[in-house]
Amino acid sequence: MPSPELARDDLIRRFDLQPHPEGGFFRETYRSAVSVSRERSGETRSASTAIYYLLCDGAHSAWHRIKSDEVWHFYAGEPLLVHVLDETGKLISHRLGNPLTHPGSVFQAVVSAGFWFAAECEDPATFALAGCTVAPGFEFSEFELADIDALRSAYPAHAEFIARLGPAASPA
């Protein structure tokens, strides 16, 4: 079995993964040719999109939200945690992994449209390869990276936790 570093490098190369603005690496693998219209705005979107998403090297997916439901799928590596703040302010953590080898984990988890969420490897020394399917399809124009101070003010019970998973500092 290859080391986590070799496996990570192989996945990045094999799937042509690129750095993602929220942290980790990704590549879009599917964009539906079928279009749908959003009810309220009337904007047209692909019916669905899918990506590979790799978290490694202690990186995390910073708090963000999108205007569509997102289904996370576990593919390889070790468990990751998908943290979601629901409409009542409750913090829900989904443990995504292989339930056959990681009891208490699930292969899939859903983040509802408009909810703030972040993700991290359960063990920062490991990696996790997941997939994300979004319907209606993902558009960066509907991606909102959290203002951490505002999010902490809105959810004071989780302020320290929210701060820990904020955007990575920009290199100087």
Side-chain angles (χ1 to χ4, degrees), residues 2 4 8 17 19 31 35 45 47 62 64-65 74 79 86 89 91-92 126 130 157 162 165:
R8 173 208 60 212
L17 303 177
R31 180 167 292 273
S35 295
R45 295 283 181 256
H64 64 289
R65 64 182 172 186
F74 180 79
D86 75 9
L91 178 64
I92 301 160
T126 64
I162 290 168
L165 295 173

Side-chain angles (χ1 to χ4, degrees), residues 7-66:
R8 173 208 60 212
D9 292 346
D10 185 41
L11 290 168
I12 291 170
R13 185 181 63 257
R14 184 178 302 204
F15 297 113
D16 192 26
L17 303 177
Q18 303 299 314
H20 196 291
E22 76 197 38
F25 295 87
F26 84 111
R27 182 171 64 85
E28 186 174 273
T29 58
Y30 172 73
R31 180 167 292 273
S32 176
V34 175
S35 295
V36 296
S37 293
R38 288 215 179 267
E39 286 182 17
R40 294 188 179 139
S41 68
E43 294 175 312
T44 301
R45 295 283 181 256
S46 292
S48 180
T49 56
I51 65 169
Y52 285 128
Y53 184 63
L54 176 70
L55 276 178
C56 57
D57 303 326
H60 63 271
S61 168
W63 291 102
H64 64 289
R65 64 182 172 186
I66 61 176

Side-chain angles (χ1 to χ4, degrees), residues 70-110:
E70 182 166 343
V71 181
W72 284 65
H73 316 264
F74 180 79
Y75 295 135
E78 298 298 319
L80 69 148
L81 302 171
V82 181
H83 307 291
V84 181
L85 288 166
D86 75 9
E87 72 276 359
T88 68
K90 181 180 177 184
L91 178 64
I92 301 160
S93 294
H94 301 282
R95 185 173 188 246
L96 205 62
N98 181 346
L100 301 174
T101 57
H102 300 104
S105 63
V106 295
F107 282 120
Q108 296 180 354
V110 176

Side-chain angles (χ1 to χ4, degrees), residues 102-124:
H102 300 104
S105 63
V106 295
F107 282 120
Q108 296 180 354
V110 176
V111 177
S112 296
F115 287 6
W116 290 106
F117 66 104
E120 62 184 331
C121 288
E122 187 173 64
D123 176 350

